[in-house]
Amino acid sequence: MSQYDVVVIGGGAAGLSAALVLSRARRTVLVVDAGAPRNAPATHMHGYLSRDGVPPAELLAAGRHEVRSYGGDIVDGTVTELVPDGRSGFWALLLGGQRISARRLLVTTGLRDELPDIPGLRDRWARDVLHCPYCHGHEVRDHQLGVLGGTPGAVRYAHVVRQWTHDLVYFTLPDILTGTERTQLLARAIRVVEGTIERLVIDEADQLRGVQMRDGCVVPRDALFVPPRFVPNSVLVVGLGCDADADGWVAVDGTGRTSVAGVWAAGNIVDPRAQVVTAAGAGSAAAIALNADLVEDDVRIAVRDLDHGLLPPLTAHAHPKESP
């Protein structure tokens, strides 16, 4: 099939949750997924009620199975462009030339993490270089932890990480901290190391053992929390004309509806702080709103057809019995 009620671009928690709701609502649904989930490097996910500790790939595999069990279609591929088709439809153009027709679109393409250019940092991402303390803090509790500072909000972020350890080091360039920030860090026994980070120190067992500064000093650490720069994967929806803020985050209403009629967005493309469970909930809410919108369209089409003398199939084939 190349024509669907809804095409979902992105097969993460938000996209699969929406596809599950829509396929159970007897809509024809296609999920197009490029196969590069943001949390792929993580061995386990946390904070998802009843799924805590499950590997991310296992959750996605289960989600795919559930969607397919209700008749939803899933293809591995990349959408290169979204194009309006008539008054309310769309074409999704796939890498390789395939065109998919959709009455409605749901974009759940998420975001990507931009990390500081420090040797070894990217290779350790989601292992012992971490982003979310709520996702990973419990697993490294009471260890020697570090926070990479120097970005807006990093000091506050360090105070949150402090919840999980009594041995925390805040790394920052010299002359960045304000007097108030320095006092707050001191008051909570967060050690400050000022200077330039040269590299991460990894031992023979492939474990993080410390942070080496440019002066050669090595600060022993077991894990490092890094607030990355979030970049939304919003090129497709922005290219379609959907409103977004200056940083590219897609503007939606409470149901995930964008400024372009017929287009919804959910998950990290809208909310950079959404965890897996949050994204799944947003996908479900968007699916319910999408179906309601399709029902309104179904009613409009049915009334138009009736005005032109076209009876619904059940009515057209019903022959009431004559009275004796």
Side-chain angles (χ1 to χ4, degrees):
M1 178 185 291
S2 60
Q3 185 172 8
Y4 292 85
D5 288 326
V6 182
V7 169
V8 180
I9 301 102
L16 290 176
S17 180
L20 177 62
V21 172
L22 289 165
S23 58
R24 282 177 51 84
R26 310 185 76 176
R27 293 297 180 184
T28 55
V29 182
L30 173 67
V31 179
V32 183
D33 183 49
R38 176 191 175 207
N39 61 356
T43 56
H44 302 89
M45 64 177 197
H46 296 281
Y48 197 137
L49 187 63
S50 81
R51 296 294 181 269
D52 188 77
V54 171
E58 185 176 317
L59 178 76
L60 296 184
R64 284 183 166 221
H65 172 74
E66 291 172 358
V67 169
R68 286 180 170 135
S69 72
Y70 289 103
D73 292 335
I74 301 174
V75 299
D76 297 322
T78 300
V79 176
T80 59
E81 189 177 3
L82 299 173
V83 181
D85 177 30
R87 192 174 70 86
S88 60
F90 302 91
W91 288 105
L93 310 183
L94 274 60
L95 188 67
Q98 187 179 6
R99 297 200 311 167
I100 307 294
S101 176
R103 294 173 65 188
R104 300 291 185 272
L105 296 173
L106 173 59
V107 183
T108 61
T109 45
L111 61 81
R112 61 187 182 275
D113 301 301
E114 285 193 355
L115 300 177
D117 187 18
I118 297 174
L121 203 67
R122 171 62 68 177
D123 295 339
R124 313 301 301 183
W125 189 238
R127 298 168 62 189
D128 38 34
V129 173
L130 309 168
H131 147 56
C132 175
Y134 296 100
C135 300
H136 306 289
H138 186 80
E139 283 61 47
V140 295
R141 66 193 183 279
D142 298 325
H143 285 60
Q144 293 180 311
L145 305 182
V147 167
L148 186 61
T151 57
V155 171
R156 183 183 180 196
Y157 175 80
H159 286 296
V160 174
V161 175
R162 174 67 173 78
Q163 187 75 17
W164 281 270
T165 185
H166 295 287
D167 187 349
L168 181 61
V169 171
Y170 183 79
F171 295 92
T172 182
L173 293 173
D175 304 320
I176 296 294
L177 291 173
T178 66
T180 299
E181 290 172 333
R182 194 178 295 275
T183 298
Q184 291 172 342
L185 293 169
L186 176 63
R188 297 203 70 204
I190 299 173
R191 177 185 168 198
V192 175
V193 172
E194 295 180 283
T196 300
I197 295 176
E198 185 73 20
R199 66 183 183 92
L200 303 186
V201 179
I202 311 300
D203 67 13
E204 295 180 355
D206 196 28
Q207 299 291 323
L208 176 66
R209 284 295 171 255
V211 175
Q212 181 175 321
M213 309 303 291
R214 181 166 292 175
D215 62 7
C217 174
V218 175
V219 182
R221 294 294 94 184
D222 300 314
L224 185 64
F225 280 87
V226 180
R229 176 175 177 262
F230 299 137
V231 181
N233 296 321
S234 56
V235 173
L236 288 174
V237 283
V238 171
L240 195 57
C242 298
D243 289 344
D245 67 17
D247 295 318
W249 303 105
V250 181
V252 297
D253 67 9
T255 70
R257 188 193 304 260
T258 73
S259 61
V260 174
V263 182
W264 272 256
N268 282 141
I269 191 174
V270 173
D271 180 7
R273 292 173 179 80
Q275 294 181 306
V276 179
V277 64
T278 319
S284 177
I288 292 171
L290 263 167
N291 186 63
D293 190 60
L294 284 168
V295 168
E296 291 183 7
D297 201 39
D298 293 338
V299 172
R300 180 187 62 79
I301 293 171
V303 170
R304 180 199 64 192
D305 290 347
L306 186 63
D307 289 344
H308 287 80
L310 299 175
L311 298 178
L314 290 178
T315 304
H317 293 92
H319 297 285
K321 294 181 180 179
E322 295 181 3
S323 302

